[in-house]
Amino acid sequence: MKVALAADHGGFPLKAEIAELITSLGHEVLDLGAHQYDKQDDYPDFARYIGQAIQHGQADRAVLLCGSGVGASIAANKMKGVRASVCHDAYSAAQGVEHDDMNVLCLGSRIIGGAVADVLVRAFLGASFIAEGKYQRRLDKVLGIE
């Protein structure tokens, strides 16, 4: 699977660790920045990069980091075809994919550390959408809102 990865200054400290994890799980990383720490950068820019990668088929899923994960999630969800959520527990990271076809995992590096991020990314990338019954019906309704 090709996984886009991006972080603003708030998420930057966790980004390299997550890139290594994604690669170790056998996935390809599409690194969309930041490529160096810049206290003045803004999460909406990185949310746009992630969203465009999803929209254009350059990535199947994405991990987007900011300080809390909240701003990144809000910005990413403005883009058609993006289903992003901030998750800080393994159940939500997996269930968001299985039930809601979440394609962007947003994490807050000021909220969680590397050990928790490891568990969440593994849960997110290891899950598959259950494309049947109520889950498909609900996704179709969400897509209809777009």
Side-chain angles (χ1 to χ4, degrees):
M1 180 180 331
K2 194 161 194 179
V3 182
L5 176 63
D8 73 352
H9 64 279
F12 191 77
L14 198 52
K15 182 174 169 264
E17 194 173 330
I18 291 177
E20 287 180 28
L21 171 62
I22 293 168
T23 302
S24 76
L25 295 173
H27 304 292
E28 182 181 347
V29 174
L30 174 62
D31 187 341
L32 300 175
H35 301 292
Q36 62 186 26
Y37 180 83
D38 178 358
K39 188 176 181 176
Q40 300 301 314
D41 65 17
D42 296 313
Y43 66 83
D45 298 323
F46 298 100
R48 180 185 303 271
Y49 303 151
I50 288 287
Q52 290 171 335
I54 294 290
Q55 289 174 331
H56 298 147
Q58 297 168 316
D60 305 298
R61 294 199 195 155
V63 178
L64 179 58
L65 303 125
C66 72
S68 69
V70 175
S73 177
I74 290 170
N77 278 307
K78 296 294 184 181
M79 302 188 70
K80 186 174 183 168
V82 173
R83 290 174 299 284
S85 184
V86 59
C87 296
H88 292 145
D89 65 89
Y91 175 80
S92 298
Q95 184 268 336
V97 175
E98 294 168 350
H99 293 191
D100 306 307
D101 202 21
M102 177 175 71
N103 53 17
V104 178
L105 174 65
C106 299
L107 301 175
S109 71
R110 294 179 182 149
I111 309 300
I112 61 168
V116 174
D118 182 286
V119 170
L120 301 178
V121 171
R122 287 176 188 274
F124 172 65
L125 296 179
S128 298
F129 178 56
I130 303 168
E132 58 188 45
K134 64 184 176 183
Y135 305 119
Q136 186 63 55
R137 181 181 72 243
R138 292 170 183 165
L139 177 59
D140 291 341
K141 288 180 180 184
V142 168
L143 296 174
I145 293 170
E146 287 184 347

